[in-house]
Coordinates of all heavy atoms in Angstrom, one line a residue:
M1029 N 102.3 114.5 106.0 CA 103.2 113.7 105.5 C 103.4 114.0 104.0 O 102.5 114.2 103.2 CB 102.7 112.2 105.6 CG 103.8 111.2 105.7 SD 103.1 109.5 105.8 CE 103.1 109.3 107.6
T1030 N 104.7 114.1 103.5 CA 104.9 114.4 102.2 C 104.6 113.2 101.2 O 104.7 112.1 101.6 CB 106.4 114.9 102.0 OG1 107.3 113.7 102.2 CG2 106.7 116.0 102.9
P1031 N 104.4 113.6 100.0 CA 104.1 112.5 98.9 C 105.3 111.5 98.8 O 105.1 110.4 98.6 CB 103.9 113.3 97.6 CG 103.4 114.6 98.0 CD 104.1 114.9 99.3
S1032 N 106.5 112.0 99.0 CA 107.7 111.2 98.8 C 107.7 110.1 99.9 O 108.0 108.9 99.6 CB 108.9 111.9 99.0 OG 109.0 112.9 97.9
I1033 N 107.3 110.4 101.1 CA 107.3 109.5 102.2 C 106.2 108.5 102.0 O 106.3 107.2 102.3 CB 107.1 110.2 103.6 CG1 108.4 111.0 103.8 CG2 106.9 109.2 104.7 CD1 108.4 111.8 105.1
L1034 N 105.0 108.9 101.4 CA 103.9 108.0 101.2 C 104.3 107.0 100.1 O 104.0 105.8 100.1 CB 102.7 108.8 100.7 CG 102.0 109.6 101.8 CD1 100.9 110.5 101.2 CD2 101.5 108.7 102.9
V1035 N 105.0 107.5 99.0 CA 105.4 106.6 98.0 C 106.5 105.5 98.5 O 106.4 104.4 98.2 CB 106.1 107.4 96.8 CG1 106.8 106.5 95.8 CG2 105.0 108.2 96.1
L1036 N 107.4 106.0 99.4 CA 108.4 105.1 99.9 C 107.7 104.0 100.8 O 108.0 102.9 100.8 CB 109.4 105.9 100.7 CG 110.5 105.2 101.3 CD1 111.4 104.6 100.2 CD2 111.4 106.1 102.2
A1037 N 106.7 104.5 101.6 CA 106.0 103.5 102.4 C 105.2 102.5 101.6 O 105.1 101.3 101.9 CB 105.0 104.3 103.3
A1038 N 104.6 103.0 100.4 CA 103.9 102.1 99.5 C 104.9 101.0 98.9 O 104.6 99.8 98.8 CB 103.2 102.8 98.4
I1039 N 106.1 101.5 98.6 CA 107.1 100.6 98.0 C 107.4 99.5 99.1 O 107.5 98.3 98.7 CB 108.3 101.4 97.6 CG1 108.0 102.2 96.3 CG2 109.5 100.4 97.2 CD1 109.1 103.2 95.9
V1040 N 107.7 99.9 100.3 CA 108.0 99.0 101.4 C 106.9 98.0 101.6 O 107.1 96.8 101.8 CB 108.5 99.7 102.6 CG1 108.7 98.8 103.8 CG2 109.8 100.5 102.4
A1041 N 105.7 98.6 101.7 CA 104.5 97.7 101.9 C 104.3 96.7 100.9 O 104.0 95.5 101.1 CB 103.3 98.6 102.1
L1042 N 104.5 97.1 99.6 CA 104.3 96.1 98.4 C 105.4 95.0 98.5 O 105.1 93.9 98.3 CB 104.3 96.9 97.1 CG 104.2 96.1 95.9 CD1 102.8 95.4 95.8 CD2 104.4 96.9 94.7
A1043 N 106.6 95.4 98.8 CA 107.7 94.5 98.9 C 107.5 93.5 100.0 O 107.7 92.3 99.9 CB 109.0 95.2 99.0
A1044 N 107.0 94.0 101.2 CA 106.8 93.1 102.3 C 105.7 92.2 102.1 O 105.7 91.0 102.4 CB 106.5 94.0 103.5
S1045 N 104.6 92.6 101.4 CA 103.5 91.8 101.0 C 103.9 90.7 100.0 O 103.5 89.5 100.2 CB 102.4 92.7 100.4 OG 101.4 91.8 99.9
A1046 N 104.7 91.1 99.1 CA 105.2 90.1 98.1 C 106.1 89.1 98.7 O 106.1 87.9 98.5 CB 105.9 90.8 96.9
Y1047 N 106.9 89.5 99.7 CA 107.9 88.6 100.4 C 107.1 87.5 101.1 O 107.5 86.4 101.1 CB 108.7 89.4 101.4 CG 109.7 88.6 102.2 CD1 111.0 88.4 101.6 CD2 109.4 88.1 103.4 CE1 111.9 87.6 102.3 CE2 110.4 87.3 104.1 CZ 111.6 87.1 103.6 OH 112.5 86.4 104.3
R1048 N 105.9 87.9 101.8 CA 105.2 86.9 102.5 C 104.3 86.1 101.6 O 104.1 84.9 101.9 CB 104.2 87.7 103.6 CG 104.9 88.3 104.7 CD 104.0 88.7 105.8 NE 103.0 89.7 105.2 CZ 103.2 91.0 105.2 NH1 104.3 91.5 105.6 NH2 102.3 91.8 104.7
A1049 N 103.8 86.6 100.5 CA 102.8 85.9 99.7 C 103.4 85.0 98.6 O 102.9 84.0 98.3 CB 101.9 86.9 99.1
L1050 N 104.6 85.4 98.0 CA 105.0 84.7 96.8 C 106.1 83.7 97.3 O 107.1 84.0 97.9 CB 105.7 85.7 95.9 CG 104.7 86.7 95.3 CD1 105.4 87.7 94.5 CD2 103.6 86.0 94.5
A1051 N 105.9 82.4 96.9 CA 106.8 81.3 97.1 C 107.3 81.4 98.5 O 108.5 81.4 98.8 CB 107.9 81.4 96.1
P1052 N 106.4 81.2 99.5 CA 106.8 81.3 101.0 C 107.8 80.3 101.4 O 108.6 80.5 102.3 CB 105.5 81.2 101.8 CG 104.5 80.6 100.8 CD 104.9 80.9 99.4
G1053 N 107.9 79.1 100.8 CA 108.8 78.1 101.2 C 110.1 78.2 100.5 O 111.0 77.4 100.9
A1054 N 110.3 78.9 99.5 CA 111.5 79.0 98.7 C 112.6 79.8 99.4 O 112.3 80.8 99.9 CB 111.2 79.6 97.3
E1055 N 113.8 79.2 99.4 CA 114.9 79.9 99.9 C 115.4 81.0 98.9 O 115.9 82.1 99.3 CB 116.1 79.0 100.2 CG 117.3 79.6 100.8 CD 118.4 78.6 101.1 OE1 118.0 77.5 101.5 OE2 119.6 79.0 101.0
K1056 N 115.4 80.7 97.6 CA 115.8 81.6 96.6 C 114.6 81.9 95.6 O 113.7 81.0 95.4 CB 116.9 81.1 95.8 CG 118.2 81.0 96.6 CD 119.4 80.7 95.8 CE 120.7 80.8 96.6 NZ 121.9 80.7 95.7
I1057 N 114.6 83.0 95.0 CA 113.6 83.4 94.1 C 114.2 83.5 92.6 O 115.2 84.3 92.5 CB 112.9 84.8 94.5 CG1 112.4 84.7 95.9 CG2 111.8 85.2 93.5 CD1 111.2 83.7 96.0
P1058 N 113.6 82.9 91.7 CA 114.1 83.0 90.3 C 114.0 84.5 89.9 O 113.1 85.2 90.1 CB 113.2 82.2 89.4 CG 112.6 81.3 90.4 CD 112.5 81.9 91.7
M1059 N 115.1 85.0 89.2 CA 115.1 86.4 88.8 C 115.3 86.6 87.3 O 114.9 87.6 86.8 CB 116.4 87.1 89.5 CG 116.4 87.1 91.0 SD 114.9 87.9 91.7 CE 115.4 89.6 91.4
Q1060 N 115.7 85.6 86.6 CA 115.9 85.7 85.2 C 115.7 84.3 84.5 O 116.2 83.3 85.1 CB 117.2 86.3 84.8 CG 117.4 86.5 83.3 CD 118.8 87.0 83.0 OE1 119.8 86.7 83.7 NE2 118.9 87.7 81.9
W1061 N 115.0 84.3 83.4 CA 114.8 83.0 82.7 C 115.3 83.1 81.3 O 115.4 84.1 80.7 CB 113.3 82.7 82.6 CG 112.6 82.4 83.9 CD1 112.4 81.1 84.4 CD2 112.1 83.3 84.9 NE1 111.8 81.2 85.6 CE2 111.6 82.6 86.0 CE3 112.1 84.7 85.0 CZ2 111.1 83.1 87.1 CZ3 111.5 85.3 86.1 CH2 111.0 84.5 87.1
S1062 N 115.7 81.9 80.7 CA 116.1 81.9 79.3 C 114.9 81.8 78.5 O 113.8 81.7 79.0 CB 117.0 80.6 79.1 OG 116.2 79.4 79.2
L1063 N 115.1 81.9 77.2 CA 113.9 81.8 76.3 C 113.3 80.4 76.3 O 112.1 80.2 75.9 CB 114.4 82.1 74.8 CG 114.8 83.6 74.6 CD1 115.4 83.7 73.2 CD2 113.7 84.5 74.8
R1064 N 114.0 79.4 76.8 CA 113.4 78.1 76.9 C 112.7 77.8 78.3 O 112.4 76.7 78.6 CB 114.6 77.0 76.7 CG 115.0 77.1 75.3 CD 116.1 76.0 75.0 NE 116.4 76.1 73.6 CZ 117.4 75.4 73.1 NH1 118.2 74.7 73.8 NH2 117.7 75.6 71.8
G1065 N 112.7 78.8 79.1 CA 112.1 78.7 80.4 C 113.0 78.2 81.5 O 112.4 78.0 82.6
K1066 N 114.2 78.0 81.3 CA 115.2 77.6 82.3 C 115.6 78.8 83.1 O 115.8 79.9 82.6 CB 116.4 76.9 81.7 CG 117.4 76.4 82.7 CD 118.6 75.8 82.0 CE 119.6 75.4 83.0 NZ 120.9 75.0 82.5
V1067 N 115.7 78.7 84.5 CA 116.1 79.7 85.3 C 117.6 79.9 85.2 O 118.4 79.0 85.3 CB 115.8 79.4 86.8 CG1 116.3 80.5 87.7 CG2 114.3 79.2 87.0
N1068 N 117.9 81.2 84.8 CA 119.4 81.6 84.6 C 120.0 81.9 86.0 O 121.2 81.5 86.2 CB 119.5 82.8 83.7 CG 119.2 82.4 82.3 OD1 119.3 81.2 81.9 ND2 118.8 83.5 81.6
W1069 N 119.3 82.6 86.8 CA 119.9 82.8 88.2 C 118.8 83.2 89.1 O 117.7 83.6 88.8 CB 120.9 83.9 88.1 CG 120.5 85.4 87.8 CD1 120.2 85.9 86.6 CD2 120.2 86.4 88.7 NE1 119.7 87.2 86.7 CE2 119.8 87.5 88.0 CE3 120.3 86.5 90.1 CZ2 119.4 88.7 88.6 CZ3 119.9 87.8 90.7 CH2 119.6 88.8 90.0
S1070 N 119.1 83.0 90.4 CA 118.1 83.2 91.5 C 118.8 84.0 92.5 O 120.0 84.1 92.6 CB 117.7 81.8 92.1 OG 117.1 81.1 91.2
A1071 N 118.0 84.7 93.3 CA 118.5 85.5 94.4 C 117.9 85.1 95.7 O 116.8 84.6 95.7 CB 118.2 87.0 94.2
R1072 N 118.6 85.4 96.8 CA 117.9 85.0 98.1 C 116.7 85.9 98.3 O 116.7 87.0 97.7 CB 118.9 85.3 99.2 CG 120.1 84.3 99.2 CD 121.0 84.7 100.4 NE 122.2 83.8 100.4 CZ 122.3 82.7 101.1 NH1 121.4 82.4 101.9 NH2 123.4 82.1 101.0
R1073 N 115.8 85.4 99.0 CA 114.5 86.1 99.2 C 114.6 87.5 99.6 O 114.0 88.4 99.1 CB 113.6 85.3 100.3 CG 113.1 84.0 99.8 CD 112.2 83.4 100.8 NE 111.0 84.2 101.1 CZ 109.9 84.2 100.3 NH1 109.8 83.4 99.3 NH2 108.9 84.9 100.6
L1074 N 115.5 87.8 100.7 CA 115.6 89.1 101.2 C 116.2 90.1 100.1 O 115.7 91.2 100.0 CB 116.4 89.1 102.4 CG 116.6 90.4 103.1 CD1 115.2 90.9 103.6 CD2 117.5 90.3 104.4
M1075 N 117.1 89.6 99.3 CA 117.7 90.4 98.3 C 116.7 90.6 97.1 O 116.6 91.7 96.7 CB 118.9 89.7 97.7 CG 119.7 90.5 96.7 SD 120.3 92.0 97.4 CE 121.2 92.6 96.0
A1076 N 116.0 89.6 96.8 CA 115.0 89.7 95.7 C 113.9 90.7 96.0 O 113.5 91.5 95.1 CB 114.4 88.4 95.4
F1077 N 113.4 90.7 97.2 CA 112.3 91.6 97.6 C 112.7 92.8 98.3 O 111.9 93.8 98.4 CB 111.2 90.9 98.5 CG 110.6 89.7 97.7 CD1 110.8 88.4 98.1 CD2 109.7 90.0 96.7 CE1 110.2 87.4 97.4 CE2 109.1 89.0 96.0 CZ 109.3 87.7 96.3
G1078 N 113.9 92.9 98.7 CA 114.4 94.1 99.5 C 115.2 95.0 98.7 O 115.5 96.2 99.1
F1079 N 115.7 94.6 97.5 CA 116.5 95.6 96.7 C 115.9 96.9 96.3 O 116.5 97.9 96.5 CB 117.0 94.8 95.5 CG 118.0 95.7 94.7 CD1 119.2 95.9 95.1 CD2 117.5 96.3 93.4 CE1 120.1 96.7 94.3 CE2 118.3 97.0 92.7 CZ 119.6 97.4 93.1
V1080 N 114.7 96.8 95.7 CA 114.0 98.0 95.3 C 113.7 99.0 96.4 O 113.9 100.1 96.3 CB 112.8 97.6 94.4 CG1 111.9 98.9 94.1 CG2 113.2 97.0 93.1
P1081 N 113.1 98.5 97.5 CA 112.9 99.4 98.7 C 114.2 100.0 99.3 O 114.2 101.2 99.5 CB 112.2 98.5 99.7 CG 111.6 97.4 99.0 CD 112.5 97.2 97.8
A1082 N 115.2 99.2 99.3 CA 116.5 99.7 99.7 C 117.1 100.8 98.7 O 117.6 101.9 99.2 CB 117.5 98.6 99.9
L1083 N 116.9 100.6 97.5 CA 117.3 101.5 96.5 C 116.5 102.8 96.6 O 117.0 104.0 96.5 CB 117.3 101.0 95.1 CG 117.7 101.9 94.0 CD1 119.2 102.2 94.0 CD2 117.5 101.2 92.6
A1084 N 115.2 102.7 96.8 CA 114.3 103.9 97.0 C 114.7 104.7 98.1 O 114.7 105.9 98.1 CB 112.9 103.4 96.9
L1085 N 115.0 104.0 99.2 CA 115.4 104.7 100.5 C 116.7 105.4 100.3 O 116.9 106.5 100.8 CB 115.5 103.7 101.6 CG 115.8 104.3 103.0 CD1 114.8 105.3 103.5 CD2 116.0 103.1 104.0
A1086 N 117.6 104.8 99.6 CA 118.9 105.4 99.4 C 118.8 106.7 98.6 O 119.4 107.7 98.8 CB 119.9 104.4 98.7
I1087 N 118.0 106.6 97.5 CA 117.8 107.8 96.7 C 117.1 108.9 97.5 O 117.4 110.1 97.4 CB 116.9 107.4 95.4 CG1 117.8 106.5 94.5 CG2 116.5 108.6 94.7 CD1 117.0 105.9 93.4
F1088 N 116.1 108.5 98.3 CA 115.4 109.5 99.2 C 116.4 110.2 100.1 O 116.3 111.4 100.2 CB 114.3 108.7 99.9 CG 113.4 109.6 100.8 CD1 112.5 110.4 100.2 CD2 113.5 109.6 102.1 CE1 111.7 111.2 100.9 CE2 112.7 110.4 102.9 CZ 111.8 111.2 102.3
I1089 N 117.2 109.4 100.8 CA 118.2 109.9 101.7 C 119.2 110.9 100.9 O 119.5 112.0 101.4 CB 118.9 108.9 102.5 CG1 117.9 108.2 103.4 CG2 120.1 109.4 103.2 CD1 118.5 107.0 104.1
L1090 N 119.6 110.5 99.8 CA 120.5 111.2 98.9 C 119.9 112.6 98.5 O 120.5 113.6 98.6 CB 120.9 110.5 97.7 CG 121.9 111.2 96.7 CD1 123.2 111.3 97.4 CD2 122.0 110.4 95.5
L1091 N 118.6 112.6 98.3 CA 117.9 113.8 98.0 C 117.8 114.7 99.2 O 117.9 116.0 99.0 CB 116.5 113.6 97.4 CG 116.4 112.9 96.0 CD1 115.0 112.5 95.6 CD2 117.0 113.9 95.0
I1092 N 117.5 114.2 100.3 CA 117.5 115.0 101.6 C 118.8 115.6 101.8 O 119.0 116.8 102.2 CB 117.0 114.1 102.7 CG1 115.5 113.7 102.5 CG2 117.2 114.8 104.0 CD1 115.0 112.8 103.6
V1093 N 119.9 114.8 101.8 CA 121.3 115.3 102.0 C 121.7 116.4 101.0 O 122.4 117.3 101.4 CB 122.3 114.1 102.0 CG1 123.7 114.5 102.1 CG2 121.9 113.2 103.2
S1094 N 121.3 116.2 99.8 CA 121.7 117.2 98.8 C 120.9 118.5 98.9 O 121.3 119.5 98.3 CB 121.4 116.6 97.4 OG 120.0 116.5 97.1
G1095 N 119.8 118.5 99.7 CA 119.1 119.7 99.9 C 118.0 120.0 98.9 O 117.3 121.0 98.9
R1096 N 117.8 119.0 98.0 CA 116.8 119.1 97.0 C 115.6 118.3 97.4 O 115.7 117.1 97.4 CB 117.3 118.7 95.6 CG 116.3 118.9 94.5 CD 117.0 118.7 93.2 NE 116.0 119.0 92.2 CZ 116.2 118.8 90.9 NH1 117.3 118.3 90.5 NH2 115.3 119.0 90.0
P1097 N 114.4 118.9 97.7 CA 113.3 118.0 98.0 C 112.9 117.2 96.9 O 112.9 117.6 95.7 CB 112.2 119.1 98.4 CG 112.8 120.4 98.1 CD 114.2 120.3 97.7
A1098 N 112.5 116.0 97.2 CA 112.0 115.0 96.2 C 110.9 115.6 95.4 O 110.7 115.2 94.2 CB 111.7 113.7 96.8
E1099 N 110.0 116.4 96.0 CA 108.8 116.8 95.3 C 109.2 117.8 94.1 O 108.3 118.0 93.3 CB 107.9 117.6 96.2 CG 107.2 116.7 97.2 CD 108.1 116.2 98.4 OE1 109.1 116.9 98.7 OE2 107.7 115.3 99.0
T1100 N 110.4 118.3 94.1 CA 110.8 119.2 93.0 C 111.2 118.5 91.8 O 111.5 119.1 90.8 CB 111.9 120.2 93.5 OG1 113.1 119.5 93.8 CG2 111.4 121.0 94.6
I1101 N 111.5 117.2 91.9 CA 112.0 116.4 90.8 C 110.7 115.9 90.0 O 109.8 115.3 90.5 CB 112.8 115.2 91.3 CG1 114.0 115.7 92.0 CG2 113.1 114.2 90.1 CD1 114.8 114.7 92.6
S1102 N 110.8 116.2 88.7 CA 109.6 115.8 87.9 C 109.8 114.4 87.4 O 110.9 113.9 87.1 CB 109.5 116.8 86.7 OG 110.6 116.7 85.9
L1103 N 108.7 113.7 87.4 CA 108.8 112.3 87.0 C 107.8 112.2 85.8 O 106.6 112.4 85.9 CB 108.3 111.4 88.2 CG 108.2 109.9 87.8 CD1 109.6 109.4 87.6 CD2 107.6 109.2 89.0
S1104 N 108.3 111.8 84.7 CA 107.5 111.6 83.5 C 106.6 110.4 83.6 O 107.0 109.4 84.3 CB 108.4 111.5 82.2 OG 109.0 110.2 82.2
P1105 N 105.5 110.4 83.0 CA 104.6 109.2 83.1 C 105.3 108.0 82.6 O 105.1 106.9 83.1 CB 103.4 109.6 82.2 CG 103.3 111.1 82.2 CD 104.8 111.5 82.3
A1106 N 106.1 108.1 81.5 CA 106.8 107.0 81.0 C 107.7 106.3 82.1 O 107.8 105.2 82.2 CB 107.6 107.4 79.7
A1107 N 108.5 107.1 82.8 CA 109.4 106.7 83.8 C 108.6 106.0 85.0 O 109.0 105.0 85.5 CB 110.2 107.8 84.4
F1108 N 107.4 106.6 85.3 CA 106.6 106.1 86.4 C 106.1 104.7 86.0 O 106.2 103.7 86.8 CB 105.4 107.0 86.7 CG 104.4 106.4 87.6 CD1 104.7 106.4 89.0 CD2 103.2 105.9 87.2 CE1 103.8 105.8 89.9 CE2 102.3 105.4 88.0 CZ 102.6 105.3 89.4
F1109 N 105.5 104.6 84.8 CA 104.9 103.3 84.4 C 106.0 102.2 84.1 O 105.8 101.0 84.2 CB 104.0 103.5 83.2 CG 102.7 104.2 83.6 CD1 102.4 105.4 83.2 CD2 101.9 103.5 84.4 CE1 101.2 106.0 83.5 CE2 100.7 104.1 84.8 CZ 100.3 105.4 84.4
S1110 N 107.2 102.7 83.7 CA 108.3 101.7 83.6 C 108.7 101.1 85.0 O 108.9 99.9 85.1 CB 109.6 102.4 83.0 OG 109.3 102.8 81.7
G1111 N 108.7 101.9 86.0 CA 108.9 101.4 87.3 C 107.8 100.5 87.8 O 108.1 99.4 88.4
V1112 N 106.6 100.9 87.5 CA 105.5 100.0 87.9 C 105.5 98.6 87.2 O 105.4 97.6 87.8 CB 104.1 100.7 87.6 CG1 102.9 99.7 87.8 CG2 103.9 101.9 88.6
R1113 N 105.8 98.7 85.9 CA 106.0 97.5 85.1 C 107.1 96.6 85.7 O 107.0 95.4 85.8 CB 106.2 97.8 83.6 CG 106.2 96.6 82.8 CD 106.4 96.9 81.4 NE 107.8 97.3 81.3 CZ 108.5 97.4 80.2 NH1 107.9 97.1 79.1 NH2 109.8 97.7 80.2
L1114 N 108.2 97.1 86.0 CA 109.3 96.4 86.6 C 109.0 95.7 87.9 O 109.2 94.5 88.1 CB 110.5 97.3 86.8 CG 111.8 96.7 87.4 CD1 112.4 95.6 86.5 CD2 112.8 97.7 87.8
C1115 N 108.4 96.4 88.8 CA 108.0 95.9 90.1 C 106.9 94.8 89.9 O 107.0 93.7 90.5 CB 107.4 96.9 91.0 SG 108.7 98.1 91.5
T1116 N 105.9 95.0 89.1 CA 104.8 94.0 88.9 C 105.3 92.8 88.2 O 104.9 91.7 88.5 CB 103.6 94.6 88.3 OG1 104.0 95.2 87.0 CG2 102.9 95.7 89.2
S1117 N 106.2 93.0 87.2 CA 106.6 91.8 86.4 C 107.4 90.8 87.3 O 107.2 89.6 87.2 CB 107.4 92.2 85.2 OG 108.6 92.9 85.6
R1118 N 108.1 91.4 88.2 CA 108.9 90.5 89.1 C 108.0 89.8 90.1 O 108.2 88.6 90.4 CB 110.0 91.3 89.9 CG 111.1 91.8 88.9 CD 112.4 91.5 89.5 NE 113.4 91.8 88.5 CZ 114.6 92.1 88.8 NH1 115.0 92.1 90.1 NH2 115.5 92.3 87.8
S1119 N 107.0 90.5 90.6 CA 106.1 89.9 91.5 C 105.2 88.8 90.9 O 105.1 87.8 91.4 CB 105.2 91.0 92.1 OG 105.9 92.0 92.8
F1120 N 104.8 89.1 89.6 CA 103.9 88.1 88.9 C 104.9 86.9 88.5 O 104.4 85.8 88.6 CB 103.3 88.6 87.7 CG 102.2 89.6 88.0 CD1 102.1 90.8 87.5 CD2 101.2 89.2 89.0 CE1 101.1 91.6 87.8 CE2 100.1 90.1 89.2 CZ 100.1 91.3 88.6
A1121 N 106.0 87.2 88.1 CA 106.9 86.1 87.6 C 107.3 85.1 88.8 O 107.4 83.9 88.5 CB 108.2 86.7 87.0
A1122 N 107.5 85.6 89.9 CA 107.8 84.8 91.1 C 106.7 83.8 91.5 O 107.0 82.7 92.0 CB 108.2 85.7 92.3
G1123 N 105.5 84.1 91.2 CA 104.4 83.2 91.5 C 104.0 82.3 90.4 O 103.0 81.6 90.5
L1124 N 104.6 82.4 89.2 CA 104.2 81.6 88.1 C 104.7 80.1 88.2 O 105.7 79.9 88.8 CB 104.9 82.1 86.8 CG 104.3 83.5 86.3 CD1 105.1 83.9 85.0 CD2 102.8 83.3 85.9
P1125 N 103.9 79.2 87.7 CA 104.3 77.7 87.8 C 105.5 77.5 86.9 O 105.7 78.3 85.9 CB 103.1 77.0 87.3 CG 102.3 78.0 86.5 CD 102.6 79.4 87.1
R1126 N 106.3 76.5 87.2 CA 107.4 76.2 86.5 C 107.1 75.4 85.2 O 106.0 74.8 85.1 CB 108.4 75.4 87.3 CG 108.9 76.2 88.4 CD 109.9 75.4 89.2 NE 110.3 76.2 90.4 CZ 111.5 76.2 90.8 NH1 112.5 75.5 90.3 NH2 111.8 77.0 91.9
G1127 N 108.0 75.5 84.2 CA 107.8 74.7 83.0 C 107.3 75.6 81.9 O 106.8 76.7 82.1
R1128 N 107.3 75.1 80.7 CA 106.9 75.8 79.6 C 105.3 75.6 79.4 O 104.8 74.5 79.6 CB 107.5 75.4 78.3 CG 109.0 75.8 78.3 CD 109.7 75.3 77.2 NE 109.1 75.9 76.0 CZ 109.7 76.1 74.9 NH1 110.9 75.7 74.7 NH2 109.1 76.7 73.8
P1129 N 104.6 76.6 79.0 CA 103.2 76.4 78.7 C 103.0 75.5 77.5 O 103.7 75.5 76.6 CB 102.7 77.9 78.3 CG 103.8 78.6 78.0 CD 105.0 78.1 78.7
K1130 N 101.9 74.7 77.6 CA 101.6 73.8 76.5 C 100.8 74.5 75.5 O 99.9 75.3 75.6 CB 100.7 72.7 77.1 CG 101.3 72.0 78.2 CD 101.7 70.5 77.9 CE 102.1 69.8 79.1 NZ 103.4 69.4 79.2
M1131 N 101.3 74.3 74.2 CA 100.6 74.8 73.0 C 99.4 74.0 72.6 O 99.6 72.7 72.5 CB 101.6 75.0 71.9 CG 102.8 75.9 72.2 SD 102.3 77.6 72.7 CE 102.0 78.3 71.1
A1132 N 98.3 74.6 72.3 CA 97.1 73.8 71.9 C 97.2 73.4 70.5 O 97.8 73.9 69.7 CB 95.8 74.6 72.1

């Protein structure tokens, strides 16, 4: 199995796990908040947790069709950690309690 397929499988597994674990009763998941803690917009659960895996699959297919194996594309550490930060921040934010934190 190539590393690209393993990474794609990990992305799908992480998204599926987050879909089941985070806010299981909610129909929509908050996606963006104002500076005052108010939700600016929400997305349906499937869209919120399925967008990144669908995008990764589309890019993977595009690379296969173009004839360029994904393993030949270099990924800088900065790009990798930016992607990790994006995925984890959304996962953590979906599980946070509502309201502003109290200042001591």
Side-chain angles (χ1 to χ4, degrees):
M1029 209 180 267
T1030 66
S1032 298
I1033 293 174
L1034 292 174
V1035 169
L1036 187 60
I1039 291 170
V1040 171
L1042 180 63
S1045 174
Y1047 182 86
R1048 286 190 306 272
L1050 299 174
E1055 181 180 326
K1056 291 188 172 187
I1057 302 294
M1059 300 300 287
Q1060 182 183 31
W1061 291 264
S1062 70
L1063 293 175
R1064 294 185 175 167
K1066 182 182 175 191
V1067 175
N1068 289 338
W1069 69 279
S1070 300
R1072 293 183 185 260
R1073 289 182 64 80
L1074 186 60
M1075 181 64 172
F1077 294 111
F1079 179 76
V1080 171
L1083 180 63
L1085 180 63
I1087 292 170
F1088 184 72
I1089 290 171
L1090 183 65
L1091 290 171
I1092 290 172
V1093 170
S1094 72
R1096 184 171 181 187
E1099 287 78 18
T1100 63
I1101 297 174
S1102 63
L1103 179 66
S1104 71
F1108 173 77
F1109 287 114
S1110 294
V1112 169
R1113 188 181 68 162
L1114 174 67
C1115 291
T1116 56
S1117 64
R1118 292 228 172 156
S1119 296
F1120 288 131
L1124 291 176
R1126 293 181 185 217
R1128 294 179 60 155
K1130 305 247 190 253
M1131 300 300 280

